[in-house]
Amino acid sequence: MAIKYLLDEHVSPSYRTQLLLRKPELRVWAIGDPNVPPKGTPDPDILCWCEENGFILITNNRKTMPVHLADHLAGDRHIPGIFILNESMGMGKIIYELIFIAEAAEEDDYQDRIHFMPLL
């Protein structure tokens, strides 16, 4: 399983808990963890970290993240992907989709794109 997720600081830590309960071998880190950008890190810096470390960003930032991604790509940079949560889906459906993606996707399937959940 090559897909790795980084949870934005505004995403509930319950997502990591639930993902790891169902799929313990999944790599799920969160902003503020050791060796990860600290809370309050600007989004452009988080995108650079995700690129350098191969993590898909999980966020609920619908307003500015598309702009930050466009700027990132304009700088000839790349990112494994961004998933924007739809809180009205319910956590169970989101967890199901993230696990399904981690099990079925290739590392570059979501590269340089934002995907709004639900994907399935």
Side-chain angles (χ1 to χ4, degrees):
M1 189 176 327
I3 299 289
K4 302 178 286 190
Y5 295 127
L6 177 67
L7 302 179
D8 184 271
E9 69 183 274
H10 301 292
V11 172
S12 170
S14 298
Y15 283 95
R16 175 171 39 194
T17 302
Q18 293 302 315
L19 282 164
L20 294 176
L21 278 173
R22 289 167 176 79
K23 200 76 173 164
E25 65 274 20
L26 191 59
R27 211 152 155 204
V28 183
W29 293 359
I31 297 295
D33 285 352
N35 302 315
V36 175
K39 291 183 179 184
T41 298
D43 290 337
D45 295 340
I46 291 170
L47 294 182
C48 289
W49 186 92
C50 286
E51 176 182 18
E52 293 161 8
N53 294 278
F55 280 74
I56 292 175
L57 179 63
I58 308 295
T59 185
N60 49 20
N61 181 346
R62 293 177 171 271
K63 288 187 177 185
T64 60
M65 197 52 74
V67 174
H68 294 312
L69 177 61
D71 292 344
H72 188 79
L73 298 175
D76 200 27
R77 308 285 312 246
H78 298 281
I79 186 165
I82 300 172
F83 294 156
I84 297 186
L85 299 178
N86 177 349
E87 300 285 338
S88 67
M89 283 176 62
M91 185 180 291
K93 173 83 169 132
I94 292 170
I95 297 300
Y96 171 81
E97 285 200 18
L98 292 173
I99 289 172
F100 181 84
I101 290 163
E103 291 176 339
E106 299 293 327
E107 285 184 66
D108 61 353
D109 283 350
Y110 301 97
Q111 183 173 334
D112 297 339
R113 294 181 283 159
I114 288 181
H115 296 274
F116 293 86
M117 297 187 86
L119 301 179
L120 305 175

Short mmCIF file of all heavy atoms in Angstrom, two decimals, residues 26-77:
data_model
loop_
_atom_site.label_atom_id
_atom_site.label_comp_id
_atom_site.label_asym_id
_atom_site.label_seq_id
_atom_site.Cartn_x
_atom_site.Cartn_y
_atom_site.Cartn_z
N LEU A 26 -2.05 1.48 7.18
CA LEU A 26 -2.14 2.72 6.43
C LEU A 26 -1.29 3.79 7.11
O LEU A 26 -1.22 3.86 8.33
CB LEU A 26 -3.61 3.16 6.38
CG LEU A 26 -3.99 4.29 5.44
CD1 LEU A 26 -3.64 3.95 4.00
CD2 LEU A 26 -5.48 4.55 5.56
N ARG A 27 -0.65 4.61 6.31
CA ARG A 27 0.17 5.70 6.85
C ARG A 27 -0.68 6.97 6.83
O ARG A 27 -0.98 7.49 5.76
CB ARG A 27 1.41 5.86 6.00
CG ARG A 27 2.58 6.35 6.76
CD ARG A 27 3.85 5.86 6.11
NE ARG A 27 4.92 6.75 6.46
CZ ARG A 27 6.00 6.91 5.77
NH1 ARG A 27 6.18 6.22 4.66
NH2 ARG A 27 6.92 7.73 6.16
N VAL A 28 -1.06 7.43 8.01
CA VAL A 28 -1.90 8.63 8.16
C VAL A 28 -1.23 9.53 9.19
O VAL A 28 -1.16 9.19 10.37
CB VAL A 28 -3.33 8.27 8.63
CG1 VAL A 28 -4.18 9.52 8.70
CG2 VAL A 28 -3.96 7.22 7.74
N TRP A 29 -0.74 10.66 8.73
CA TRP A 29 -0.13 11.63 9.61
C TRP A 29 -0.98 12.89 9.63
O TRP A 29 -1.84 13.08 8.76
CB TRP A 29 1.28 11.96 9.15
CG TRP A 29 2.25 10.82 9.28
CD1 TRP A 29 2.01 9.57 9.78
CD2 TRP A 29 3.62 10.82 8.90
NE1 TRP A 29 3.14 8.81 9.73
CE2 TRP A 29 4.16 9.55 9.19
CE3 TRP A 29 4.45 11.76 8.34
CZ2 TRP A 29 5.48 9.21 8.94
CZ3 TRP A 29 5.77 11.43 8.08
CH2 TRP A 29 6.27 10.16 8.39
N ALA A 30 -0.74 13.76 10.59
CA ALA A 30 -1.50 15.00 10.71
C ALA A 30 -0.56 16.17 10.94
O ALA A 30 0.50 16.01 11.56
CB ALA A 30 -2.50 14.88 11.86
N ILE A 31 -0.98 17.32 10.44
CA ILE A 31 -0.22 18.55 10.70
C ILE A 31 -0.04 18.67 12.21
O ILE A 31 -0.98 18.50 12.98
CB ILE A 31 -0.98 19.78 10.15
CG1 ILE A 31 -1.12 19.69 8.62
CG2 ILE A 31 -0.30 21.08 10.57
CD1 ILE A 31 0.17 19.75 7.86
N GLY A 32 1.19 18.94 12.63
CA GLY A 32 1.50 19.05 14.05
C GLY A 32 2.17 17.81 14.62
O GLY A 32 2.73 17.86 15.71
N ASP A 33 2.13 16.68 13.87
CA ASP A 33 2.85 15.48 14.31
C ASP A 33 4.35 15.72 14.22
O ASP A 33 4.80 16.62 13.50
CB ASP A 33 2.51 14.29 13.39
CG ASP A 33 1.13 13.70 13.63
OD1 ASP A 33 0.47 14.10 14.61
OD2 ASP A 33 0.73 12.84 12.82
N PRO A 34 5.16 14.90 14.91
CA PRO A 34 6.61 14.99 14.74
C PRO A 34 7.00 14.76 13.28
O PRO A 34 6.38 13.95 12.58
CB PRO A 34 7.15 13.86 15.62
CG PRO A 34 6.05 13.59 16.61
CD PRO A 34 4.77 13.89 15.89
N ASN A 35 7.97 15.50 12.80
CA ASN A 35 8.51 15.39 11.44
C ASN A 35 7.52 15.81 10.36
O ASN A 35 7.68 15.45 9.19
CB ASN A 35 9.02 13.98 11.15
CG ASN A 35 10.08 13.55 12.13
OD1 ASN A 35 11.00 14.32 12.42
ND2 ASN A 35 9.95 12.36 12.68
N VAL A 36 6.49 16.53 10.76
CA VAL A 36 5.46 17.05 9.85
C VAL A 36 5.38 18.55 10.13
O VAL A 36 5.70 18.99 11.23
CB VAL A 36 4.11 16.34 10.13
CG1 VAL A 36 2.98 16.93 9.31
CG2 VAL A 36 4.22 14.85 9.87
N PRO A 37 4.94 19.35 9.15
CA PRO A 37 4.83 20.78 9.43
C PRO A 37 3.97 21.04 10.68
O PRO A 37 2.99 20.35 10.92
CB PRO A 37 4.14 21.34 8.18
CG PRO A 37 4.51 20.38 7.09
CD PRO A 37 4.56 19.03 7.76
N PRO A 38 4.36 22.05 11.46
CA PRO A 38 3.59 22.38 12.67
C PRO A 38 2.27 23.06 12.32
O PRO A 38 2.08 23.57 11.21
CB PRO A 38 4.52 23.35 13.41
CG PRO A 38 5.37 23.96 12.36
CD PRO A 38 5.55 22.90 11.31
N LYS A 39 1.37 23.06 13.29
CA LYS A 39 0.10 23.77 13.12
C LYS A 39 0.40 25.24 12.84
O LYS A 39 1.35 25.80 13.38
CB LYS A 39 -0.76 23.62 14.36
CG LYS A 39 -1.26 22.21 14.53
CD LYS A 39 -2.18 22.06 15.71
CE LYS A 39 -2.65 20.60 15.76
NZ LYS A 39 -3.61 20.38 16.82
N GLY A 40 -0.40 25.82 11.96
CA GLY A 40 -0.19 27.21 11.57
C GLY A 40 0.70 27.38 10.36
O GLY A 40 0.91 28.49 9.89
N THR A 41 1.23 26.27 9.81
CA THR A 41 2.06 26.34 8.62
C THR A 41 1.21 26.80 7.44
O THR A 41 0.11 26.28 7.23
CB THR A 41 2.68 24.96 8.30
OG1 THR A 41 3.51 24.57 9.40
CG2 THR A 41 3.51 24.99 7.04
N PRO A 42 1.69 27.75 6.65
CA PRO A 42 0.93 28.21 5.48
C PRO A 42 0.69 27.06 4.48
O PRO A 42 1.55 26.19 4.30
CB PRO A 42 1.81 29.30 4.86
CG PRO A 42 2.72 29.73 5.97
CD PRO A 42 2.93 28.52 6.84
N ASP A 43 -0.47 27.10 3.85
CA ASP A 43 -0.83 26.05 2.91
C ASP A 43 0.20 25.81 1.81
O ASP A 43 0.49 24.66 1.47
CB ASP A 43 -2.20 26.33 2.29
CG ASP A 43 -3.34 26.15 3.29
OD1 ASP A 43 -3.16 25.42 4.29
OD2 ASP A 43 -4.41 26.74 3.06
N PRO A 44 0.80 26.86 1.21
CA PRO A 44 1.81 26.60 0.18
C PRO A 44 2.99 25.76 0.71
O PRO A 44 3.52 24.90 -0.01
CB PRO A 44 2.26 27.99 -0.25
CG PRO A 44 1.07 28.86 0.01
CD PRO A 44 0.47 28.30 1.29
N ASP A 45 3.37 25.97 1.96
CA ASP A 45 4.46 25.19 2.55
C ASP A 45 4.02 23.74 2.80
O ASP A 45 4.83 22.81 2.66
CB ASP A 45 4.94 25.82 3.86
CG ASP A 45 5.58 27.18 3.64
OD1 ASP A 45 5.99 27.48 2.50
OD2 ASP A 45 5.66 27.95 4.62
N ILE A 46 2.75 23.55 3.14
CA ILE A 46 2.23 22.19 3.33
C ILE A 46 2.25 21.45 2.00
O ILE A 46 2.62 20.27 1.94
CB ILE A 46 0.82 22.24 3.94
CG1 ILE A 46 0.91 22.74 5.39
CG2 ILE A 46 0.15 20.86 3.87
CD1 ILE A 46 -0.42 23.04 6.03
N LEU A 47 1.88 22.13 0.92
CA LEU A 47 1.91 21.48 -0.40
C LEU A 47 3.34 21.07 -0.76
O LEU A 47 3.55 19.98 -1.31
CB LEU A 47 1.33 22.39 -1.47
CG LEU A 47 -0.16 22.71 -1.33
CD1 LEU A 47 -0.63 23.59 -2.49
CD2 LEU A 47 -1.00 21.44 -1.26
N CYS A 48 4.31 21.91 -0.46
CA CYS A 48 5.72 21.55 -0.73
C CYS A 48 6.12 20.33 0.09
O CYS A 48 6.78 19.42 -0.42
CB CYS A 48 6.64 22.73 -0.42
SG CYS A 48 6.50 24.09 -1.60
N TRP A 49 5.71 20.29 1.36
CA TRP A 49 6.03 19.14 2.20
C TRP A 49 5.40 17.87 1.64
O TRP A 49 6.05 16.82 1.57
CB TRP A 49 5.57 19.37 3.64
CG TRP A 49 6.01 18.28 4.56
CD1 TRP A 49 7.17 18.25 5.29
CD2 TRP A 49 5.34 17.04 4.81
NE1 TRP A 49 7.24 17.07 5.99
CE2 TRP A 49 6.14 16.30 5.71
CE3 TRP A 49 4.16 16.47 4.36
CZ2 TRP A 49 5.78 15.04 6.15
CZ3 TRP A 49 3.80 15.21 4.80
CH2 TRP A 49 4.61 14.51 5.70
N CYS A 50 4.13 17.96 1.22
CA CYS A 50 3.45 16.78 0.63
C CYS A 50 4.19 16.30 -0.62
O CYS A 50 4.35 15.09 -0.81
CB CYS A 50 2.00 17.12 0.30
SG CYS A 50 0.92 17.24 1.74
N GLU A 51 4.62 17.23 -1.43
CA GLU A 51 5.37 16.87 -2.64
C GLU A 51 6.67 16.15 -2.28
O GLU A 51 6.97 15.09 -2.82
CB GLU A 51 5.68 18.11 -3.47
CG GLU A 51 6.54 17.81 -4.68
CD GLU A 51 6.90 19.04 -5.49
OE1 GLU A 51 6.78 20.18 -4.98
OE2 GLU A 51 7.31 18.86 -6.64
N GLU A 52 7.40 16.71 -1.36
CA GLU A 52 8.71 16.16 -0.98
C GLU A 52 8.60 14.81 -0.28
O GLU A 52 9.52 13.99 -0.34
CB GLU A 52 9.46 17.16 -0.10
CG GLU A 52 9.84 18.42 -0.85
CD GLU A 52 10.15 19.60 0.05
OE1 GLU A 52 10.23 19.42 1.29
OE2 GLU A 52 10.30 20.71 -0.48
N ASN A 53 7.47 14.56 0.39
CA ASN A 53 7.32 13.35 1.19
C ASN A 53 6.31 12.35 0.65
O ASN A 53 6.11 11.29 1.24
CB ASN A 53 6.97 13.74 2.62
CG ASN A 53 8.12 14.47 3.29
OD1 ASN A 53 9.04 13.84 3.79
ND2 ASN A 53 8.08 15.79 3.28
N GLY A 54 5.65 12.69 -0.46
CA GLY A 54 4.75 11.76 -1.12
C GLY A 54 3.42 11.52 -0.43
O GLY A 54 2.89 10.41 -0.50
N PHE A 55 2.86 12.52 0.22
CA PHE A 55 1.59 12.39 0.93
C PHE A 55 0.47 13.10 0.17
O PHE A 55 0.67 14.21 -0.33
CB PHE A 55 1.67 12.99 2.33
CG PHE A 55 2.32 12.11 3.35
CD1 PHE A 55 3.69 11.90 3.35
CD2 PHE A 55 1.56 11.47 4.32
CE1 PHE A 55 4.30 11.09 4.29
CE2 PHE A 55 2.15 10.65 5.27
CZ PHE A 55 3.52 10.46 5.25
N ILE A 56 -0.70 12.47 0.11
CA ILE A 56 -1.91 13.12 -0.37
C ILE A 56 -2.48 13.94 0.79
O ILE A 56 -2.60 13.44 1.90
CB ILE A 56 -2.94 12.09 -0.86
CG1 ILE A 56 -2.44 11.39 -2.13
CG2 ILE A 56 -4.30 12.74 -1.10
CD1 ILE A 56 -3.34 10.27 -2.61
N LEU A 57 -2.82 15.18 0.51
CA LEU A 57 -3.38 16.06 1.54
C LEU A 57 -4.89 15.85 1.64
O LEU A 57 -5.59 15.88 0.63
CB LEU A 57 -3.08 17.52 1.21
CG LEU A 57 -3.61 18.56 2.20
CD1 LEU A 57 -2.97 18.39 3.57
CD2 LEU A 57 -3.38 19.96 1.65
N ILE A 58 -5.37 15.65 2.87
CA ILE A 58 -6.79 15.58 3.16
C ILE A 58 -7.16 16.88 3.88
O ILE A 58 -6.61 17.18 4.94
CB ILE A 58 -7.13 14.38 4.09
CG1 ILE A 58 -6.57 13.07 3.55
CG2 ILE A 58 -8.63 14.31 4.33
CD1 ILE A 58 -7.14 12.62 2.26
N THR A 59 -8.07 17.63 3.30
CA THR A 59 -8.40 18.94 3.85
C THR A 59 -9.89 19.22 3.68
O THR A 59 -10.58 18.51 2.95
CB THR A 59 -7.57 20.05 3.17
OG1 THR A 59 -7.82 21.30 3.79
CG2 THR A 59 -7.84 20.14 1.68
N ASN A 60 -10.36 20.25 4.35
CA ASN A 60 -11.71 20.73 4.11
C ASN A 60 -11.67 22.17 3.60
O ASN A 60 -12.66 22.87 3.61
CB ASN A 60 -12.59 20.59 5.37
CG ASN A 60 -11.93 21.14 6.60
OD1 ASN A 60 -11.01 21.94 6.51
ND2 ASN A 60 -12.38 20.72 7.76
N ASN A 61 -10.52 22.59 3.12
CA ASN A 61 -10.29 23.94 2.63
C ASN A 61 -10.72 24.04 1.16
O ASN A 61 -9.92 23.83 0.26
CB ASN A 61 -8.81 24.29 2.79
CG ASN A 61 -8.49 25.69 2.31
OD1 ASN A 61 -9.27 26.33 1.62
ND2 ASN A 61 -7.30 26.16 2.66
N ARG A 62 -11.97 24.36 0.96
CA ARG A 62 -12.52 24.46 -0.40
C ARG A 62 -12.24 25.82 -1.04
O ARG A 62 -12.27 25.93 -2.27
CB ARG A 62 -14.04 24.27 -0.36
CG ARG A 62 -14.45 22.89 0.02
CD ARG A 62 -15.97 22.77 0.12
NE ARG A 62 -16.32 21.38 0.28
CZ ARG A 62 -16.55 20.56 -0.73
NH1 ARG A 62 -16.49 20.98 -1.96
NH2 ARG A 62 -16.83 19.29 -0.50
N LYS A 63 -12.00 26.85 -0.24
CA LYS A 63 -11.88 28.20 -0.78
C LYS A 63 -10.51 28.49 -1.37
O LYS A 63 -10.40 28.90 -2.51
CB LYS A 63 -12.21 29.23 0.29
CG LYS A 63 -13.69 29.29 0.62
CD LYS A 63 -13.98 30.44 1.55
CE LYS A 63 -15.47 30.51 1.81
NZ LYS A 63 -15.82 31.67 2.60
N THR A 64 -9.47 28.31 -0.57
CA THR A 64 -8.15 28.76 -1.03
C THR A 64 -7.27 27.63 -1.57
O THR A 64 -6.32 27.92 -2.30
CB THR A 64 -7.40 29.49 0.10
OG1 THR A 64 -7.22 28.58 1.20
CG2 THR A 64 -8.16 30.72 0.56
N MET A 65 -7.56 26.39 -1.25
CA MET A 65 -6.67 25.31 -1.71
C MET A 65 -6.57 25.23 -3.23
O MET A 65 -5.47 25.01 -3.75
CB MET A 65 -7.09 23.97 -1.11
CG MET A 65 -6.00 22.92 -1.19
SD MET A 65 -4.38 23.42 -0.52
CE MET A 65 -4.70 23.38 1.22
N PRO A 66 -7.66 25.42 -3.99
CA PRO A 66 -7.49 25.41 -5.46
C PRO A 66 -6.52 26.48 -5.95
O PRO A 66 -5.74 26.24 -6.87
CB PRO A 66 -8.92 25.65 -5.98
CG PRO A 66 -9.80 25.08 -4.90
CD PRO A 66 -9.07 25.45 -3.61
N VAL A 67 -6.53 27.64 -5.32
CA VAL A 67 -5.61 28.71 -5.70
C VAL A 67 -4.18 28.32 -5.34
O VAL A 67 -3.26 28.50 -6.14
CB VAL A 67 -6.00 30.04 -5.00
CG1 VAL A 67 -4.97 31.13 -5.26
CG2 VAL A 67 -7.38 30.48 -5.43
N HIS A 68 -3.99 27.76 -4.15
CA HIS A 68 -2.65 27.35 -3.74
C HIS A 68 -2.11 26.25 -4.66
O HIS A 68 -0.93 26.25 -5.01
CB HIS A 68 -2.65 26.85 -2.29
CG HIS A 68 -2.96 27.91 -1.29
ND1 HIS A 68 -2.36 29.15 -1.27
CD2 HIS A 68 -3.84 27.92 -0.26
CE1 HIS A 68 -2.83 29.87 -0.28
NE2 HIS A 68 -3.74 29.15 0.35
N LEU A 69 -2.97 25.32 -5.05
CA LEU A 69 -2.53 24.26 -5.96
C LEU A 69 -2.13 24.85 -7.31
O LEU A 69 -1.09 24.48 -7.86
CB LEU A 69 -3.60 23.18 -6.14
CG LEU A 69 -3.22 22.09 -7.14
CD1 LEU A 69 -1.96 21.33 -6.69
CD2 LEU A 69 -4.38 21.13 -7.36
N ALA A 70 -2.92 25.76 -7.84
CA ALA A 70 -2.60 26.38 -9.13
C ALA A 70 -1.24 27.09 -9.05
O ALA A 70 -0.42 26.97 -9.97
CB ALA A 70 -3.70 27.36 -9.53
N ASP A 71 -1.00 27.81 -7.97
CA ASP A 71 0.29 28.49 -7.79
C ASP A 71 1.43 27.47 -7.69
O ASP A 71 2.51 27.67 -8.25
CB ASP A 71 0.27 29.37 -6.54
CG ASP A 71 -0.65 30.57 -6.67
OD1 ASP A 71 -1.06 30.91 -7.80
OD2 ASP A 71 -0.98 31.17 -5.62
N HIS A 72 1.19 26.40 -6.97
CA HIS A 72 2.19 25.34 -6.78
C HIS A 72 2.57 24.74 -8.14
O HIS A 72 3.75 24.60 -8.46
CB HIS A 72 1.62 24.28 -5.84
CG HIS A 72 2.57 23.23 -5.41
ND1 HIS A 72 3.51 23.44 -4.41
CD2 HIS A 72 2.75 21.95 -5.82
CE1 HIS A 72 4.22 22.34 -4.23
NE2 HIS A 72 3.76 21.42 -5.08
N LEU A 73 1.57 24.41 -8.93
CA LEU A 73 1.82 23.81 -10.24
C LEU A 73 2.47 24.80 -11.20
O LEU A 73 3.32 24.41 -12.01
CB LEU A 73 0.52 23.27 -10.84
CG LEU A 73 -0.16 22.16 -10.04
CD1 LEU A 73 -1.51 21.80 -10.67
CD2 LEU A 73 0.73 20.93 -9.92
N ALA A 74 2.11 26.08 -11.09
CA ALA A 74 2.71 27.12 -11.94
C ALA A 74 4.20 27.27 -11.65
O ALA A 74 4.96 27.70 -12.52
CB ALA A 74 1.99 28.45 -11.74
N GLY A 75 4.61 26.89 -10.45
CA GLY A 75 6.02 26.94 -10.08
C GLY A 75 6.76 25.68 -10.49
O GLY A 75 7.84 25.41 -9.98
N ASP A 76 6.19 24.90 -11.41
CA ASP A 76 6.76 23.65 -11.91
C ASP A 76 6.97 22.64 -10.78
O ASP A 76 7.94 21.92 -10.75
CB ASP A 76 8.07 23.92 -12.67
CG ASP A 76 8.42 22.76 -13.59
OD1 ASP A 76 7.49 22.06 -14.05
OD2 ASP A 76 9.62 22.55 -13.84
N ARG A 77 6.01 22.64 -9.86
CA ARG A 77 6.03 21.70 -8.74
C ARG A 77 4.93 20.66 -8.98
O ARG A 77 4.13 20.79 -9.90
CB ARG A 77 5.76 22.43 -7.41
CG ARG A 77 6.63 23.63 -7.09
CD ARG A 77 8.04 23.33 -6.66
NE ARG A 77 8.18 22.32 -5.64
CZ ARG A 77 8.62 22.52 -4.42
NH1 ARG A 77 8.95 23.72 -4.01
NH2 ARG A 77 8.77 21.52 -3.59
#
